[in-house]
Amino acid sequence: MSTPASPTPRQTTFGRVAAAIVGAEALAITGFAVFYLLELLQGQGSDPVVVIMSIVTMLVFVVGLGYVAYGLWTRHPRAQAPAIAANGLLVPLGIAMFQFAPTLVAAAVLVGAVTTIVATIGMGRLDD
């Protein structure tokens, strides 16, 4: 059985870029969860149960994306698929956002998603 080759500096850089973007996505969702919580505490939510479940759902994604970001940073073999899947879902969202969001925000979502996918693939195959 052969030992896996060390990653090249380019592959390491790709992994760090992907990890940083996924981490930023987790932070952005954290911001939305905090916003929803503040709205709930001020009594502004239309249905408290819906708001609470939205917050819980966001926090589940925050934990998942945080774990994926850590996995990409440390080059864990099981981190690539969820990073690609999560950002694959952001591509059509980014495209759709051009119709209702500021162009800069829509472009940031789209470019961030595509960059993460490319960087994750650019890490190369991560063996167990």
Side-chain angles (χ1 to χ4, degrees), residues 2-102:
S2 64
T3 60
S6 296
T8 65
R10 182 174 184 223
Q11 290 172 323
T12 301
T13 301
F14 275 134
R16 302 296 163 124
V17 166
I21 296 172
V22 172
E25 292 167 354
L27 288 175
I29 295 171
T30 301
F32 285 118
V34 169
F35 173 77
Y36 271 51
L37 182 60
L38 293 174
E39 291 285 308
L40 178 66
L41 293 175
Q42 295 173 356
Q44 307 235 349
S46 59
D47 184 357
V49 174
V50 172
V51 174
I52 291 169
M53 291 313 301
S54 296
I55 293 168
V56 169
T57 302
M58 285 184 234
L59 293 178
V60 168
F61 276 95
V62 166
V63 170
L65 287 174
Y67 185 70
V68 169
Y70 176 76
L72 291 171
W73 192 269
T74 60
R75 298 184 57 80
H76 192 282
R78 293 196 180 110
Q80 287 177 307
I84 292 170
N87 283 279
L89 294 172
L90 288 178
V91 170
L93 175 65
I95 292 169
M97 285 178 68
F98 281 102
Q99 297 176 15
F100 63 84

